[in-house]
Amino acid sequence: MNVHRYGSGPAQVMMLHGFTQHGGHMRESAQFFGHSCIAPDLPGHGPGSHLPATMDEAVERVVALGRGIEALVGYSMGGRVALRAASQLPDLKVLVLISTTAGLSEEDQPERAASDAALADRFETEPLESMVDEWLAKPLFLGMANRSNRWREQDRALRLEGTGSGL
């Protein structure tokens, strides 16, 4: 698993990114922790897709990397991984979940599974650039319009380091 390191010394904080991102997206946030941080590219994300990987495999990889970590921060998809990994990290003192839910009700799961499968098919068959642009056009990301053009271009470029099949 590719791991981005921020700061010096032993890492005390692990940060897990959201869908279409990778650990490189955590650089800006890492500066606010005041501690050394690591941010792995979760399976399917980043330049090395680390495939195949189920959610259980993603959690296993985070747990293996996270031994000794005191704080675990997860954003969106990374928050779901963090929530599942937290109970297996004995030194963990702080768990921060951002824009994360524990999951869907059983009644909503079939519809979401079908929607996710359709999205996965599109990521595998359509150009990555158009899929990332469509993803970033979601209302969730409207606040990014307040960032500079340079910042938004860098964010998009990082997302495009992945692959459609990985995502």
Side-chain angles (χ1 to χ4, degrees):
M1 184 165 14
N2 186 40
V3 178
H4 303 259
R5 297 186 181 279
Y6 305 109
S8 59
Q12 295 177 311
V13 178
M14 181 189 294
M15 299 182 299
L16 304 178
H17 59 81
F19 181 65
T20 75
Q21 296 181 315
H22 65 66
H25 281 88
M26 301 294 113
R27 177 183 308 278
E28 183 178 20
S29 298
Q31 68 185 343
F32 296 105
F33 284 101
H35 299 285
S36 181
C37 302
I38 56 174
D41 293 347
L42 292 173
H45 292 73
S49 293
H50 326 294
L51 291 175
T54 64
M55 173 62 92
D56 288 340
E57 290 167 330
V59 170
E60 287 174 17
R61 292 174 188 190
V62 166
V63 169
L65 181 63
R67 300 277 181 227
I69 292 293
E70 294 181 4
L72 182 57
V73 178
Y75 164 67
S76 192
M77 178 195 75
R80 288 218 177 138
V81 174
L83 186 59
R84 292 187 60 188
S87 65
Q88 300 175 55
L89 295 169
D91 298 322
L92 193 66
K93 296 176 183 163
V94 177
L95 174 63
V96 179
L97 304 175
I98 303 163
S99 189
T100 302
T101 65
L104 300 172
S105 69
E106 284 188 34
E107 146 184 323
D108 292 334
Q109 288 176 4
E111 181 179 332
R112 177 61 180 267
S115 172
D116 286 351
L119 182 64
D121 287 344
R122 292 186 60 215
F123 265 97
E124 289 183 344
T125 59
E126 296 182 24
L128 181 60
E129 293 84 0
S130 63
M131 291 303 299
V132 165
D133 290 342
E134 182 179 320
W135 185 256
L136 292 174
K138 291 183 176 292
L140 170 69
F141 301 109
L142 287 175
M144 289 173 57
N146 297 327
R147 304 300 304 259
S148 70
N149 284 337
R150 182 173 183 256
W151 185 94
R152 288 193 311 274
E153 288 169 5
Q154 288 175 338
D155 176 81
R156 182 178 182 272
L158 288 174
R159 291 172 195 267
L160 293 175
E161 288 180 4
T163 65
S165 61
L167 298 172

